[in-house]
Amino acid sequence: MSLYRDQGIVITTHKLGEADRIVVFCTNAHGKVRAVAKGVRKTRSRFGGRLEPSSHVQLQLYRGRSELDVVTQVDTVDQFRSMREDLVRLGKAMAMLEVVDRVGVDRASDSALYRMLLGGLRTLNAGDSALMVPAFYLKLLVHDGVGPEVEVCASCGIMDDLAAFDYASGGVLCRSCRRGSVLSYEALELMRMVLGGNLNVALALPPSSATNEVEYLATAAMEHYLERRLRAAGAYSR
């Protein structure tokens, strides 16, 4: 039983009793943490407004014998106000928070996941991006060791005539092996940019039929991996 400090991002919250909330954090050093914020729903709560989904906070928590830790101190690092004032960008943030909640492991340190989510929120706070959510999904699949193949046919290995995408088959497929969804050359190049080191260039591109295609394919891939439909998928589309 002890106190500990960490930085975290609020993933989601749930009501508990009449005045408390269960708050789920993606933290830098302690993985996904579930904690009780006591009295946070009261009007005079010391830190109720600091524990909204997507808030980036400095935390002090108490770990006892329960599965739930207790929030004892919260200081705001960033509330991403610009992002929150834009319903489209806020919807994209919610989509990212949803998948982090699904893939995060309780009390298993994963600073890379924390940095990935923090970077995504900072990007959205700076401005909208057509590829932010699909890029986040694709990078998260790679982070979990199940990223799609986008350089060669996932079935036969040839590099030419890639014409389809099927996550269940491993990624892109050539015309001879094709199944799943038709894949345009433009969408293939966008996925290669995201996964090949040109993420910032991809995120700066305007909306297009190719970005829409990548969004559809990346969402389908993530849902296949999670074996469930995503509530927030598509909710942010204009």
Side-chain angles (χ1 to χ4, degrees):
M1 296 186 291
S2 61
L3 286 171
Y4 67 96
R5 297 182 66 84
D6 203 346
Q7 284 203 357
I9 298 163
V10 179
I11 303 174
T12 188
T13 65
H14 310 280
K15 292 180 181 179
L16 179 66
E18 295 184 358
D20 304 339
R21 281 191 186 277
I22 296 173
V23 185
V24 184
F25 301 96
C26 174
T27 69
N28 183 32
H30 296 85
K32 188 164 75 171
V33 172
R34 303 175 187 274
V36 176
K38 295 185 175 180
V40 75
R41 290 161 57 203
K42 293 181 179 178
T43 305
R44 297 181 180 179
S45 170
R46 292 183 296 120
F47 43 70
R50 305 173 194 174
L51 293 175
E52 295 298 323
S54 79
S55 293
H56 183 209
V57 293
Q58 179 73 45
L59 294 161
Q60 179 174 278
L61 302 107
Y62 173 78
R63 178 176 295 173
R65 296 176 180 175
S66 168
E67 293 182 358
L68 297 172
D69 295 349
V70 178
V71 179
T72 60
Q73 183 177 331
V74 181
D75 295 307
T76 300
V77 178
D78 201 331
Q79 290 186 321
F80 304 112
R81 291 189 181 279
S82 177
M83 178 192 74
R84 289 190 182 194
E85 291 171 356
D86 183 328
L87 290 179
V88 172
R89 283 187 282 167
L90 181 59
K92 292 180 179 182
M94 294 301 106
M96 294 192 298
L97 295 176
E98 182 182 356
V99 295
V100 170
D101 190 26
R102 298 299 178 191
V103 304
V105 180
D106 290 353
R107 303 189 191 282
S109 177
D110 193 343
S111 58
L113 178 61
Y114 163 80
R115 292 194 303 269
M116 191 184 306
L117 178 57
L118 181 58
L121 294 175
R122 285 174 171 168
T123 299
L124 284 176
N125 196 57
D128 198 4
S129 169
L131 281 175
M132 184 67 252
V133 174
F136 188 80
Y137 289 170
L138 292 172
K139 298 287 280 187
L140 190 53
L141 291 171
V142 171
H143 168 269
D144 276 16
V146 290
E149 172 61 63
V150 297
E151 296 298 331
V152 300
C153 175
S155 181
C156 71
I158 69 167
M159 301 178 63
D160 301 323
D161 206 19
L162 302 175
F165 182 90
D166 184 46
Y167 180 73
S169 301
V172 298
L173 298 166
C174 70
R175 198 168 301 278
S176 298
C177 301
R178 64 182 174 184
R179 51 191 170 275
S181 301
V182 175
L183 178 68
S184 70
Y185 174 77
E186 292 78 12
L188 173 61
E189 287 301 298
L190 288 182
M191 287 194 287
R192 286 174 169 174
M193 290 172 67
V194 168
L195 298 178
N198 289 310
L199 177 60
N200 289 337
V201 176
L203 293 179
L205 295 174
S208 65
S209 59
T211 62
N212 290 339
E213 185 179 346
V214 173
E215 179 185 328
Y216 170 79
L217 296 174
T219 300
M222 180 58 71
E223 290 181 336
H224 184 277
Y225 174 55
L226 296 176
E227 298 182 337
R228 64 183 300 149
R229 296 296 300 273
L230 293 169
R231 295 190 306 274
Y236 51 81
S237 300
R238 293 186 186 278

